[in-house]
DNA sequence: ACCTGAACACCGTTCAAGT
DNA sequence: ACCTGAACACCGTTCAAGT
């Protein structure tokens, strides 16, 4: 009780918290389970009780990343007065997140040989769900509108994702990235597909 | 001369060749310098003569990846009859490459804390250069057109990059990705920015 | 110039043992 | 249920030595 007042049931939380910090400071390659255990003041075998292996910890970090990003996107979308405002704000929030947490972003969208584990996939699903809600009109949906909305959403997501990747990889600057997002939003809203999606009521 | 007929001066090439295979089969995390040396039939210290460390090998692989992608994009662009054809073909070639060599693509566009090494950066520059050439008209360029072209190119690159990332991360299917590219090309060509960039002669 | 092989420090993972 | 600590196999890197 006095010898270990700290790690009574919250080692898991500490590992995740420090894992995020380590990710930011050293990148994915710099993450070490043993170093994390050292920082937490436990033996190197201790993390095993909460994460079966290293990948399991990385998956948990990715899952948290998706939830955090979803939260931010939702918050930002709620503030926008007009549809255009919300659209643009979400794009910028997405890119900002990717710039501030590049290594985490990379972990979230890492190339996988087989499907990501269920919890991660569901967390990613919740993010894309907020994009859907951004686009949802009040009118009942017919099949054609559904299809257009789906394609519109995908293009928006691709543009944001690509901008984020190019910034993180240092192929373009953050300022250039924001320009891309603005241009893309303008273009999409003015396009035929955009007008089809946005006619409502 | 008889004891080592094979690795006389081409160990470097063998390591790069096998490195690409290993990348495709096991992903970046699966790449091991010692395993590569084993496959090449040399001691684990041998690679040191050609690559100072593991990162140096990865950089060389990324550089080769950029050059290979550039080559493909150039070839595909040369075949297109109309501007629209070329544009669309380049987009598809880019995404195809990313699907076929997801781990390599990830290596090429990995999040970096500091700038990538010069040779890699130059190889990436050559790729983006081919995008420029795709968009270049015959008329002399004024500043406004230059700016519009720059933004147009960046948006195109971002969309392709994002589509590629989302496919590799298994968030969307390859078929969905191709739809995104087609939609984006149509939208960009029909947009105000696109018309500004494309008025030529 | 290129490669060998021992040495070193560091990993992730496993598992019996403790509390 | 959670953590310890030894053990194992595997790394990347360094470096004196060989050819």
């Amino acid at each position: 009780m006095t010898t270990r007042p700290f790690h009574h049931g919250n080692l898991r939380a500490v590992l995740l918290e420090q894992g995020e910090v380590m990710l930011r400071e050293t990148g994915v390659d710099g993450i070490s389970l043993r170093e994390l255990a050292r920082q937490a003041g436990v033996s190197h075998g201790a993390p095993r009780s909460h994460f079966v292996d290293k990948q399991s910890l990385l998956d948990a970090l990715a899952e948290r990343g998706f939830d955090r990003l979803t939260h931010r996107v939702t918050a930002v979308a709620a503030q926008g007065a007009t549809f255009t405002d919300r659209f643009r704000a979400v794009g910028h929030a997405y890119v900002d997140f990717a710039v501030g947490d590049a290594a985490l972003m990379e972990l979230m969208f890492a190339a996988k040989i087989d499907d990501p584990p269920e919890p991660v996939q569901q967390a990613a699903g919740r993010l894309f769900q907020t994009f859907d809600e951004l686009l949802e009109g009040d009118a009942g949906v017919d099949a054609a509108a559904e299809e257009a909305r789906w394609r519109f959403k995908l293009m928006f997501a691709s543009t944001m994702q690509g901008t984020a990747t190019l910034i993180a990889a240092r192929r373009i600057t953050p300022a250039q990235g924001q320009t891309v997002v603005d241009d893309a939003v303008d273009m999409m809203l003015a396009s035929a597909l955009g007008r089809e999606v946005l006619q409502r009521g």
Side-chain angles (χ1 to χ4, degrees), chain A:
Chain A
M1 182 172 168
T2 53
T3 54
R4 48 173 110 121
F6 187 57
H7 298 127
H8 176 64
N10 67 346
L11 175 58
R12 186 194 152 90
V14 171
L15 290 173
L16 287 171
E17 214 69 46
Q18 279 301 312
E20 276 186 16
V21 174
M22 206 179 222
L23 201 55
R24 237 186 310 265
E25 290 175 351
T26 68
V28 202
D29 295 345
I31 285 214
S32 155
L33 235 39
R34 288 177 104 110
E35 176 62 26
L36 238 27
R38 239 173 266 132
Q39 288 181 9
V42 295
S43 77
H44 67 260
R48 189 70 204 286
S49 299
H50 301 96
F51 303 99
V52 284
D53 57 15
K54 188 180 179 180
Q55 188 55 50
S56 168
L57 200 230
L58 296 180
D59 287 338
L61 287 175
E63 187 186 343
R64 283 163 58 98
F66 275 117
D67 283 339
R68 187 149 56 90
L69 178 53
T70 301
H71 191 264
R72 265 213 229 169
V73 163
T74 306
V76 140
Q79 284 180 346
T82 69
F83 182 85
T84 308
D85 283 348
R86 287 195 290 276
F87 216 105
R88 199 183 299 273
V90 166
H92 286 171
Y94 196 95
V95 173
D96 284 344
F97 181 91
V99 170
D101 266 307
L104 177 59
M105 196 72 172
E106 198 173 15
L107 196 63
M108 290 159 58
F109 292 95
K112 293 283 177 186
I113 297 180
D114 29 52
D115 286 343
E118 197 65 33
V120 180
Q121 215 156 358
Q122 286 185 359
R126 287 192 289 275
L127 173 62
F128 282 92
Q129 179 66 28
T130 67
F131 293 158
D132 281 327
E133 287 160 10
L134 238 192
L135 295 178
E136 249 155 38
D138 327 274
V141 289
D142 58 287
E146 188 66 33
E147 159 89 5
R149 195 179 299 133
W150 171 85
R151 286 160 62 183
F152 192 77
K153 181 189 69 171
L154 229 56
M155 185 159 33
F156 182 56
S158 288
T159 306
M160 289 190 303
Q161 187 63 44
T163 303
T165 301
L166 291 179
I167 295 173
R170 301 196 158 239
R171 305 295 167 202
I172 65 176
T173 67
Q176 287 175 320
Q178 302 293 16
T179 303
V180 172
V181 170
D182 283 334
D183 282 348
V185 168
D186 289 344
M187 187 176 289
M188 288 180 69
L189 292 177
S191 72
L193 186 61
R195 274 180 275 116
E196 184 180 349
V197 169
L198 297 180
Q199 61 186 353
R200 53 182 64 191

